[in-house]
Amino acid sequence: MFGDLMGMMGKLQETQAKIEETKKRLDTVLIDDQSSDGLLQVTMTANRSIKSLSLADELLEDKEQLEDYLVMVLNRTIEKASTINEAELAAAAKDGMPNIPGLDLFK
């Protein structure tokens, strides 16, 4: 029984290490998105950190339009990054989880 418990604890530590490695790797995964007319472009990591933002000069003339574009494109990019982030972290966690009967967290 204690051997199983120690094995599970070791497996959990391995899983935590895999998750941390995955988080570091996700800092290198870049998601690019832009407005439909290309006036605003955003690049973000899969950990939802903005790397670059590029906007056309004409957006500087209309504050309200710029705000709308920023909200729209940033939200869409964050959604894409979150989807990738959650899928990758879930995969890392699932692969490393010990087989505990009745505990099917990642089905």
Side-chain angles (χ1 to χ4, degrees), residues 4 7-8 11-12 15 93-104:
D4 289 343
M8 280 191 260
K11 193 81 162 154
L12 289 173
T15 300
K94 181 180 181 181
D95 287 344
M97 287 298 291
N99 186 17
I100 302 172
L103 190 61
D104 296 328

Side-chain angles (χ1 to χ4, degrees), residues 22-47:
T22 300
K23 285 180 182 179
K24 287 179 185 174
R25 186 177 55 76
L26 290 174
D27 278 332
T28 66
V29 175
L30 299 178
I31 294 97
D32 296 310
D33 203 352
Q34 66 180 7
S35 60
S36 59
D37 55 11
L39 296 178
L40 176 71
Q41 291 106 21
V42 174
T43 300
M44 180 178 293
T45 70
N47 279 328

